[in-house]
Amino acid sequence: MRDKLLNYDSVKPYLNTEFIGREYAYYDSIDSTNVQGKREAAVKVCDGKVFITEEQTGGRGRLGRTWESPKFTGIWMSILLKPDIPIELAPKITVIAAAAAYNTMKEFGIDAKIKWPNDIVIDGKKICGILTEMSTVGGKIDYVIMGIGINVNMVEFPEDLKDKATSLKLELGKDMDRSKITALFLNNFEKLYSSFNSTKDLSEVMRICREGSVLIGREVRIVDGSTEFKCDVIDISEDGELIVRMKDGKIKNICSGEVSVRGIYGYL
Ligand code: BT5
């Protein structure tokens, strides 16, 4: 059985945001909501506009990876933003989205964890991924497009994802209301994002990221381009960096940039 469509009429009753999602572009099918957001931003940047689709035919992960986005089973959406922050703070928007997704799952009674910097996992399997991209003009941010994929009612995954991906339905054994989850995420995101945008203070976001972290206290592999090393995760810093102890005992801060974090014996 399929639940309601993800159009504005079904999301609006739960939405209590001021500006996020008040402009709302809904598609039955599209290549990628991040790409569509960028197409529109090239013409006009509408701060807080949501791009959401029932299906992506070219869903994107980081570093050219793909994001499986089958029809009617997930939340595949992007938010166009015009933040008033310096370029180097743009990656914090990923962390804010992860904190908002974690809070949203908690509201549904789901014991999810944050896998820094851009995944939400349940029992070590990925349920949500975040892709933040930006465009700059004259050394300043022109816009940021924050894309999030949440597996809601998927029951099947391609072979290569079977052991490392899950959905809310697989975890809870029932269909979940995608519209309500979408609205609650947007409500949570706006609260954290607006506060960061005006104060540049990330402390509440970091408190949530520490509380929900699946990495703190674990030995992991960090993959950064062609470099790869093992280390122990000690903490997440106030400004959202991963603090690790290298095998020689040295402490190092890792920026979220383009690194991937892997468990020693599997995805995590
Ligand atoms: C991400 O990349 O996790 C970012 C995913 C962002 C998706 C959203 S959907 C709306 C918006 N529009 C887009 O085109 N994208 C954004 P990364 O950390 O690189 O992880 C990608 C990897 O996750 C893939 O290589 C697969 O191993 C795995 N994967 C792909 N689809 C998945 C799914 N539906 N659920 C769980 N894992 C998946």
Side-chain angles (χ1 to χ4, degrees):
M1 196 195 69
R2 192 184 86 201
D3 74 338
K4 304 189 285 276
L5 296 178
L6 271 180
N7 54 27
Y8 191 55
D9 282 348
S10 54
V11 170
K12 194 175 152 209
Y14 308 107
L15 202 61
N16 61 29
T17 56
E18 260 172 43
F19 75 105
I20 301 248
R22 295 302 171 181
E23 290 286 329
Y24 193 96
Y26 166 77
Y27 307 90
D28 175 60
S29 177
I30 200 162
D31 49 358
S32 151
T33 54
N34 265 39
V35 172
Q36 180 59 18
K38 287 194 242 178
R39 281 186 204 114
E40 274 214 30
V43 182
K44 182 173 176 252
V45 179
C46 181
D47 195 16
K49 181 162 181 174
V50 161
F51 301 84
I52 191 161
T53 186
E54 299 292 356
E55 156 188 72
Q56 293 187 120
T57 53
R60 298 167 60 229
R62 299 182 305 158
L63 302 165
R65 295 191 277 247
T66 56
W67 184 257
E68 294 293 326
S69 325
K71 203 156 193 176
F72 302 130
T73 58
I75 297 166
W76 326 123
M77 79 171 156
S78 304
I79 309 175
L80 186 56
L81 298 164
K82 204 164 174 57
D84 182 19
I85 54 172
I87 288 178
E88 60 276 12
L89 290 186
K92 311 300 178 213
I93 292 174
T94 298
V95 185
I96 293 169
Y102 168 79
N103 273 355
T104 304
M105 300 216 183
K106 227 168 110 177
E107 282 170 32
F108 280 88
I110 299 156
D111 185 21
K113 296 272 180 228
I114 301 174
K115 179 172 166 280
W116 183 95
N118 72 315
D119 293 350
I120 304 291
V121 298
I122 297 182
D123 273 342
K125 293 182 170 184
K126 183 159 167 169
I127 192 145
C128 162
I130 297 157
L131 171 67
T132 304
E133 300 177 281
M134 73 168 154
S135 166
T136 60
V137 175
K140 290 193 167 156
I141 294 179
D142 180 21
Y143 67 82
V144 168
I145 184 98
M146 190 289 291
I148 181 161
I150 306 177
N151 301 331
V152 181
N153 292 325
M154 284 153 92
V155 286
E156 278 180 356
F157 287 93
E159 202 52 44
D160 59 320
L161 288 183
K162 276 197 173 120
D163 295 334
K164 51 181 190 178
T166 190
S167 70
L168 294 178
K169 182 167 181 173
L170 286 174
E171 294 302 318
L172 301 173
K174 57 177 184 201
D175 274 302
M176 300 290 287
D177 181 344
R178 292 181 304 150
S179 321
K180 192 168 176 189
I181 299 168
T182 301
L184 263 51
F185 171 79
L186 294 174
N187 296 344
N188 283 322
F189 180 78
E190 183 178 276
K191 231 183 281 161
L192 296 172
Y193 169 79
S194 291
S195 151
F196 169 67
N197 199 27
S198 53
T199 64
K200 317 295 174 258
D201 178 15
L202 264 187
S203 50
E204 173 60 6
V205 171
M206 293 332 300
R207 187 197 61 71
I208 298 165
C209 286
R210 285 199 193 98
E211 173 194 294
S213 174
V214 74
L215 294 181
I216 295 173
R218 286 209 192 209
E219 186 183 18
V220 298
R221 267 186 309 131
I222 307 264
V223 185
D224 183 1
S226 54
T227 323
E228 190 176 322
F229 56 88
K230 284 185 189 170
C231 56
D232 296 295
V233 178
I234 305 174
D235 203 353
I236 298 172
S237 74
E238 272 308 304
D239 52 5
E241 294 176 351
L242 199 66
I243 308 175
V244 302
R245 184 182 294 107
M246 307 294 284
K247 290 298 163 191
D248 63 4
K250 288 204 180 100
I251 305 295
K252 193 173 164 161
N253 280 31
I254 313 274
C255 305
S256 58
E258 302 276 63
V259 300
S260 296
V261 184
R262 299 274 174 264
I264 299 294
Y265 303 109
Y267 176 68
L268 256 193

